[in-house]
Amino acid sequence: SAAVAFMSYTTMENLLKPDFFNKSNDTVKTMMSTVISATLPKTNNTKLTKPVNFTFRHIREFDPTSSLSCVFWNISEWIVDGCSVLKTNSSYTVCSCVHLSTFALIMQTSRPSE
């Protein structure tokens, strides 16, 4: 048996901005969730034998033409390695990840034409 600790940060997206997600420079990136962390206390192992699913409630209006990414914080940037979107609708998104870390949901939309 094991205990898992979950933490939700209400204003962390002000520090760990969606612009730190460098997947595509020609898109507008918007944070769609609060930032959360999941850890297993008393262990350094962050790899999981089975994926863990997180349900993120959208904190702003969802653009159906956008691209959603489940991301985790890796030292100085948001990356997607090991995380994917399982399902989404206008109010929430379920992410699946094979490791524990600090997570968020980022929406990418096309830049407005000049």
Side-chain angles (χ1 to χ4, degrees), residues 1 5 8 11 19-20 25 28 33 41-42 45 51 61-62 66-67 73-74 76 83 88 94-95 98 107 111:
S1 66
S8 178
T11 58
D19 290 339
F20 294 136
N25 289 330
V28 176
S33 71
K42 298 183 182 178
N45 183 13
E61 190 172 328
F62 174 64
S66 68
S67 170
W73 187 251
N74 184 29
S76 63
C83 291
T88 190
V94 178
C95 294
V98 296
M107 177 176 67
R111 289 203 179 273

Side-chain angles (χ1 to χ4, degrees), residues 22-90:
N22 294 319
K23 189 167 182 177
S24 175
N25 289 330
D26 62 341
T27 60
V28 176
K29 297 164 191 80
T30 306
M31 193 69 76
M32 287 296 291
S33 71
T34 56
V35 175
I36 66 161
S37 290
T39 61
L40 286 168
K42 298 183 182 178
T43 181
N44 292 331
N45 183 13
T46 59
K47 295 268 186 195
L48 303 173
T49 56
K50 292 183 180 180
V52 63
N53 298 338
F54 303 100
T55 301
F56 288 104
R57 182 176 299 176
H58 299 166
I59 58 173
R60 55 189 41 89
E61 190 172 328
F62 174 64
D63 179 350
T65 66
S66 68
S67 170
L68 285 173
S69 297
C70 299
V71 297
F72 76 96
W73 187 251
N74 184 29
I75 301 173
S76 63
E77 65 182 341
W78 291 111
I79 61 174
V80 296
D81 296 352
C83 291
S84 60
V85 173
L86 276 186
K87 63 181 177 178
T88 190
N89 68 21
S90 61

Side-chain angles (χ1 to χ4, degrees), residues 5-23:
F6 288 97
M7 293 161 276
S8 178
Y9 309 101
T10 54
T11 58
M12 186 65 77
E13 65 272 9
N14 295 334
L15 295 173
L16 306 180
K17 298 179 186 297
D19 290 339
F20 294 136
F21 182 45
N22 294 319
K23 189 167 182 177

Side-chain angles (χ1 to χ4, degrees), residues 63 93 99:
D63 179 350
T93 296
H99 52 79

